[in-house]
Amino acid sequence: MSDTNKEGSKEALFSPKNRKLLTNPLSKDNPISVQVLGICSVLAITVQLRASLVMAISVVAVMGFANVIISLLRKTIPPRIRIIVQLTVIASLVILVDQVLKAYVYDVSRQLSVFVGLIITNCIIMGRLEGFALHNKPWPSFLDGIGNAAGYGWVLLTVGFFRELLGSGTLMGYQVIPNVLYDLGYENNGFMILPPMALITVGVIIWVQRHRDRDLVDIS
Amino acid sequence: MEELTSIFVRSVFIDNMVFAYFLGMCSYLAVSRTVNTSVGLGFAVIFVLGITVPINYLLENFVLAKGALSWLGPQFADVDLSFLTFIMFIAIIAAMVQLVEMIIEKFSPTLYSSLGIFLPLIAVNCAILGGSLFMQERNYANLAEATAFGLGSGVGWFLAIVGIAAIREKIRYSAVPAPLRGLGITFIITGLMGIAFMSFMGIEL
């Protein structure tokens, strides 16, 4: 069954192999810029850093727990109906997240609108459940989930950071560009707030990443 | 009728799923290598959206919304099942996708094999669930309006994926910087197409 981690119980919790599960998705195996999963939400909710942060945390929570639950159930789920089982687990977790957001950060929850619901169809989660949690023990699956969600999170935060900084001159809602600059004729780049700029920002992130790590370059 | 046309045109151009909301990007980026497969996937998406949005509309208005169950009898008048929305919608969508998969396998095996893994993945295509959730958020007045919105969104997605596939087929002959090749340039082109689509924004229908 658990082919990649047979001696799991003897292994230390943070053995090098387990640490790799956590760090690889941050760079070499990044879900967004390398595996091309879960793009939709990156683009739509990164106008402000605050919304990006809430979204990143929600995805970390859903993904970590979904991976653990599926990994615990991996021997009981019949392969033919696994997609529906996975969707049900994810959907239940997302409902929890949605209710928590509505209760504690109502304004952000309004701002994210349908995108909280769309965590269900965020392909990162399905992809990792299919690709990892179905064949591995709970602890490595948990690390893999957190790692991938964090890899997703940092791209989200980077895009949110630049879009909010250049687009509205604020970070987390606080003004950071001093008024002196505005007096000198500096203007916010209204273009950054528009949705297409998110795509171009991600494109540039991919460019920089592949420039630094030539292994990732697409040869075809 | 005028109302329906306006909803349809709005959802094709102004509220385009891909360029205005970035929904369904994963399969949009992954399947758009050639025009042929993207046409096939585009039709499948139109079909699934055109069916699931009206069904979910009925579900929303007769089962899930607050007071929607009152047709069962007065004692159900204040039952509010809206917290079940996500699970119900995704269940309908997964079932419909299964249906489409069987139909395509039966009538066009070539298309079936060329779509491969992406057919079952329509179930997790955010454009589909997004369509239903937007339908819920915008409170369409009747079933016909919801259908027009579903079909329109599907057609918009179809146009987007066929457009990008055509551009990607051509761009293979251009000298794109190596690190930008493939994924990077596709993102940037999509961004530029999005900017072009934004010119529809001011139009009032």
Side-chain angles (χ1 to χ4, degrees):
Chain A
M1 266 285 148
S2 52
D3 34 41
T4 56
N5 207 357
K6 272 205 176 90
E7 69 287 65
S9 51
K10 282 173 221 147
E11 242 178 290
L13 280 185
F14 285 100
S15 65
K17 202 156 73 189
N18 281 347
R19 240 177 301 154
K20 259 216 168 71
L21 290 176
L22 205 55
T23 53
N24 256 2
L26 294 182
S27 55
K28 261 201 151 17
D29 214 10
N30 190 281
I32 289 169
S33 61
V34 182
Q35 305 177 44
V36 209
L37 295 173
I39 311 288
C40 324
S41 48
V42 179
L43 304 168
I45 46 102
T46 48
V47 179
Q48 279 168 347
L49 197 54
R50 199 165 129 82
S52 324
L53 189 67
V54 171
M55 188 71 177
I57 294 172
S58 317
V59 171
V60 169
V62 171
M63 191 133 168
F65 286 115
N67 261 3
V68 170
I69 293 173
I70 291 294
S71 170
L72 287 172
L73 291 174
R74 71 185 186 280
K75 286 177 185 152
T76 41
I77 301 174
R80 292 190 69 86
I81 59 157
R82 63 180 195 287
I83 294 200
I84 295 195
V85 175
Q86 288 163 2
L87 282 177
T88 319
V89 169
I90 302 172
S92 322
L93 288 168
V94 170
I95 289 178
L96 281 181
V97 167
D98 187 40
Q99 301 289 338
V100 170
L101 288 185
K102 274 192 184 136
Y104 292 101
V105 276
Y106 189 71
D107 53 325
V108 181
S109 144
R110 295 268 4 131
Q111 201 185 345
L112 292 174
S113 78
V114 301
F115 288 95
V116 178
L118 289 175
I119 297 179
I120 300 174
T121 51
N122 191 322
C123 1
I124 297 181
I125 301 181
M126 276 294 278
R128 292 325 292 174
L129 291 182
E130 279 277 293
F132 198 89
L134 274 178
H135 316 286
N136 286 286
K137 294 200 163 165
W139 176 245
S141 306
F142 180 68
L143 289 181
D144 181 78
I146 300 286
N148 274 286
Y152 166 87
W154 82 252
V155 177
L156 206 68
L157 291 180
T158 318
V159 179
F161 176 81
F162 283 111
R163 284 184 77 189
E164 193 178 349
L165 181 66
L166 299 177
S168 2
T170 56
L171 284 178
M172 307 287 286
Y174 299 105
Q175 189 177 350
V176 283
I177 307 265
N179 279 327
V180 187
L181 272 179
Y182 286 108
D183 294 339
L184 288 173
Y186 174 84
E187 293 233 10
N188 287 326
N189 184 353
F191 218 47
M192 290 303 280
I193 302 178
L194 302 179
M197 283 314 288
L199 283 162
I200 295 179
T201 317
V202 177
V204 172
I205 291 179
I206 292 175
W207 189 2
V208 172
Q209 196 195 7
R210 295 198 175 179
H211 186 75
R212 295 177 48 166
D213 191 346
R214 289 280 168 168
D215 295 344
L216 298 175
V217 171
D218 191 347
I219 314 151
S220 66
Chain B
M1 198 59 216
E2 203 176 301
E3 184 67 11
L4 292 186
T5 337
S6 117
I7 288 180
F8 183 79
V9 175
R10 268 195 77 86
S11 51
V12 174
F13 293 108
I14 304 167
D15 292 335
N16 187 293
M17 277 285 177
V18 174
F19 297 127
Y21 298 105
F22 305 118
L23 295 177
M25 290 301 283
C26 309
S27 34
Y28 168 87
L29 291 169
V31 184
S32 60
R33 280 176 192 270
T34 61
V35 173
N36 280 341
T37 45
S38 54
V39 168
L41 188 70
F43 275 121
V45 167
I46 295 181
F47 185 73
V48 175
L49 263 175
I51 292 183
T52 53
V53 171
I55 292 184
N56 283 338
Y57 178 84
L58 293 176
L59 199 65
E60 158 81 11
N61 283 291
F62 289 103
V63 182
L64 293 173
K66 192 169 191 318
L69 278 173
S70 51
W71 55 274
L72 274 179
Q75 70 270 37
F76 291 102
D78 44 315
V79 178
D80 184 1
L81 290 179
S82 55
F83 66 93
L84 285 177
T85 307
F86 296 154
I87 283 197
M88 295 301 273
F89 282 8
I90 201 76
I92 294 283
I93 289 168
M96 282 303 136
V97 168
Q98 200 77 51
L99 199 68
V100 172
E101 196 179 341
M102 288 192 293
I103 293 174
I104 294 189
E105 190 180 9
K106 177 107 177 131
F107 291 105
S108 172
T110 37
L111 180 61
Y112 182 75
S113 55
S114 66
L115 288 179
I117 176 83
F118 287 102
L119 207 50
L121 281 186
I122 294 184
V124 281
N125 184 330
C126 359
I128 313 283
L129 183 61
S132 290
L133 292 176
F134 276 127
M135 173 274 296
Q136 186 193 31
E137 201 177 76
R138 289 178 196 163
N139 289 324
Y140 285 110
N142 55 45
L143 190 59
E145 287 189 6
T147 318
F149 167 72
L151 285 175
S153 310
V155 172
W157 201 87
F158 173 85
L159 285 181
I161 193 171
V162 174
I164 191 82
I167 295 179
R168 283 182 77 173
E169 280 193 357
K170 293 280 178 235
I171 211 161
R172 251 173 244 152
Y173 307 108
S174 322
V176 179
L180 204 53
R181 223 170 270 165
L183 193 58
I185 194 72
T186 313
F187 267 101
I188 292 178
I189 296 171
T190 311
L192 295 177
M193 287 168 81
I195 292 171
F197 262 74
M198 285 185 67
S199 56
F200 291 111
M201 229 149 88
I203 300 172
E204 285 291 329
L205 281 171

